[in-house]
Amino acid sequence: MTDAVTTTGLTKRYGRRTALSDCTLNIPAGHVVGLVGPNGAGKSTLLQLTCGLLAPTEGRIEVLGHTPHTGSPRLGFVAQDTPVYGNLTVADHLRFGAHLNPGWDKALAQRRIAELGLDPSQRAGKLSGGQRAQLALTLAIAKRPELLLLDEPVAALDPLARREFLQGLMSYAAENGTSVVMSSHLVADLERVCDYLIVLVASRVRVHGDVDELLGTHHRLTGPRRDPDTLGPGREVVQASHTDVQSTLVVRSTAPVDDPSWTSDRLDLEDIVLAYMAQAGTHGRDRVLEKR
Amino acid sequence: MIEFHLDARSGVAPYLQLIQQVRHALRLGMLKEGDRLPTVKDVVARVAINPNTVLKAYRELEYEGLVQPRPGLGTFVTRTLAGGDEAIAAHEPLRRELTDWLGRARAAGLDDEDVEALLISTFREFSEERAGRRG
């Protein structure tokens, strides 16, 4: 199976500010990929590079085997805050979509609008946030894209609207095997819907991989205070904190940690994401311990 | 047909939760041989989870020999976990005895955590003793 997205050394700078630096990734097709990170980490930049709205400053990106370009019928993109045209009606949006997209699935679009209970003659500006997001999703999936990109689609929605949006998105993905990449801060939502995760902090990819694999290889170790470098090879310390007597480490390790002086706990996805975010914030600070 | 649900705070991986719910339903006789499991699309549309999670759970159940996919028709239960009619018939009286016991525990001043701890430790001792006798 070809990769949905492949990037090599992908970098995007706006003047002197680097939005994304040296990003090398391959996202296998057929996954629902979560893109997480704090505000300004480069999530929107990566998504806009992926759909061809931005051109890279350095490096390469291939999407579904080709250089991305805007207007590709194989890509669906829902931008941040799910924009729609406030003065146009729901029916106008569907006509617009049909006109612009050769592969437009009229039946799918109309079925979704009916299922959602949207009035076709309603102006989009009068829709609720949840309805607007659902309309934007309908426009993106009626193109029948092979890859669907969503930038913070549920951030502004209440919990019920969020759940309904994800239900719609997941049933579409289940039916069509579409690859999905969505950014979000809401790790709890991503934990349900994603099977692949990319953590982006301060313009860099900190970790990416299959969710089950990430959950299986990250551990929290607590034990008497000691130098984390004594853990041995094959164990990457993601985060370390120390008190006078105790060390708490988050490590990535493929082999189980069988040293009995450590207590090993499993981490959930949110813990793992937070550990990588904290690592980016305090990089280098814990190095002091090595010199003791 | 059963309906799945997810407990986000349980710390148990979503696909394992689905497997546990099927096993649980089989054990209680809510699912029987020949019953159809919800389609992947039904599950994701209801629970809002990743379709691959559902597929993974169903594959695992297939591997355990509990279900069998039939292309174009769905996934069907091939084996039950309830120990036959006799075992199911024993559920009700056992449940009543357990309810009485819980009433006595509450009357003796045990709270929920006490009861849970006592049940788990007794259950563990009992299982270990049995295993010891067999070995």
Side-chain angles (χ1 to χ4, degrees):
Chain A
M1 202 190 282
T2 57
D3 286 336
V5 182
T6 316
T7 71
T8 321
L10 186 67
T11 300
K12 178 69 191 177
R13 279 188 284 271
Y14 300 106
R16 286 165 62 194
R17 198 176 76 80
T18 304
L20 190 69
S21 53
D22 195 21
C23 164
T24 299
L25 274 177
N26 48 330
I27 304 175
H31 282 282
V32 181
V33 181
L35 183 58
V36 277
N39 288 329
K43 303 190 293 290
S44 297
T45 301
L46 179 55
L47 287 173
Q48 289 175 19
L49 286 163
T50 307
C51 68
L53 278 173
L54 291 175
T57 313
E58 277 167 40
R60 279 160 38 83
I61 177 163
E62 272 197 359
V63 178
L64 303 168
H66 298 280
T67 306
H69 61 94
T70 52
S72 163
R74 302 172 73 197
L75 286 182
F77 179 55
V78 179
Q80 206 159 359
D81 303 324
T82 56
V84 290
Y85 297 96
N87 280 324
L88 298 186
T89 64
V90 170
D92 289 337
H93 277 84
L94 299 193
R95 264 197 297 280
F96 208 12
H99 188 67
L100 290 174
N101 296 289
W104 185 258
D105 189 335
K106 189 177 169 191
L108 170 74
Q110 284 176 340
R111 193 177 68 232
R112 258 188 66 86
I113 295 300
E115 277 170 10
L116 293 164
L118 295 184
D119 172 6
S121 64
Q122 172 90 280
R123 279 184 201 286
K126 302 267 188 224
L127 297 174
S128 72
Q131 290 172 326
R132 209 166 55 231
Q134 294 279 22
L135 175 59
L137 178 64
T138 304
L139 295 174
I141 65 182
K143 284 176 76 175
R144 295 241 166 227
E146 291 165 56
L147 172 63
L148 191 55
L149 305 164
L150 305 129
D151 194 357
E152 302 267 3
V154 295
L157 304 186
D158 65 66
L160 180 63
R162 212 158 75 210
R163 179 59 56 86
E164 286 170 352
F165 183 90
L166 294 176
Q167 285 169 335
L169 178 62
M170 285 304 107
S171 41
Y172 178 75
E175 228 173 340
N176 299 279
T178 313
S179 307
V180 179
V181 180
M182 63 183 279
S183 68
S184 180
H185 312 284
L186 300 162
V187 183
D189 282 343
L190 293 181
E191 192 154 22
R192 296 176 82 97
V193 302
C194 297
D195 52 8
Y196 199 93
L197 191 79
I198 301 169
V199 180
L200 201 60
V201 187
S203 88
R204 285 184 186 276
V205 174
R206 302 291 157 172
V207 69
H208 66 104
D210 191 86
V211 167
D212 286 335
E213 198 246 300
L214 293 176
L215 289 171
T217 54
H218 285 81
H219 314 271
R220 178 185 285 118
L221 303 180
T222 40
R225 182 178 172 123
R226 66 158 91 170
D227 185 339
D229 286 355
T230 59
L231 274 173
R235 302 208 167 116
E236 183 201 337
V237 178
V238 179
Q239 191 189 16
S241 65
H242 306 278
T243 67
D244 299 349
V245 292
Q246 194 188 37
S247 289
T248 305
L249 309 178
V250 173
V251 298
R252 184 178 193 182
S253 165
T254 41
V257 178
D258 41 22
D259 183 338
S261 61
W262 290 109
T263 308
S264 179
D265 290 309
R266 289 180 54 94
L267 294 162
D268 66 20
L269 208 56
E270 187 152 19
D271 295 329
I272 295 172
V273 169
L274 288 174
Y276 280 97
M277 287 191 189
Q279 176 199 39
T282 62
H283 214 63
R285 203 188 288 168
D286 290 314
R287 300 282 103 186
V288 178
L289 193 76
E290 288 176 3
K291 302 201 180 82
R292 292 169 60 93
Chain B
M1 184 80 75
I2 58 165
E3 267 185 355
F4 292 108
H5 53 89
L6 269 199
D7 180 358
R9 276 168 298 275
S10 70
V12 179
Y15 85 97
L16 283 176
Q17 292 192 38
L18 300 185
I19 292 173
Q20 283 170 0
Q21 284 166 35
V22 170
R23 296 183 65 96
H24 194 75
L26 288 168
R27 217 167 270 289
L28 293 178
M30 289 190 299
L31 275 179
K32 292 189 195 70
E33 222 173 302
D35 285 352
R36 190 166 68 84
L37 294 183
T39 64
V40 173
K41 195 186 168 223
D42 289 342
V43 181
V44 303
R46 191 184 138 70
V47 195
I49 54 169
N50 188 298
N52 292 327
T53 304
V54 187
L55 286 169
K56 187 172 177 183
Y58 282 13
R59 263 202 314 273
E60 199 88 354
L61 288 163
E62 185 189 347
Y63 182 72
E64 290 177 27
L66 297 174
V67 304
Q68 184 77 53
R70 289 188 216 149
L73 294 173
T75 304
F76 292 83
V77 175
T78 47
R79 186 156 73 82
T80 177
L81 284 175
D85 293 343
E86 220 170 285
I88 290 182
H91 277 193
E92 224 13 72
L94 283 167
R95 190 197 301 276
R96 272 197 302 274
E97 281 175 49
L98 199 53
T99 311
D100 290 345
W101 182 87
L102 287 171
R104 290 203 300 280
R106 188 51 51 88
L110 275 67
D111 67 14
D112 287 356
E113 265 180 54
D114 295 333
V115 167
E116 203 181 317
L118 188 58
L119 273 176
I120 291 173
S121 71
T122 313
F123 183 70
R124 199 170 287 148
E125 268 170 41
F126 179 80
S127 308
E128 276 167 12
E129 225 168 81
R130 285 242 158 157
R133 232 188 293 157
R134 237 180 281 144

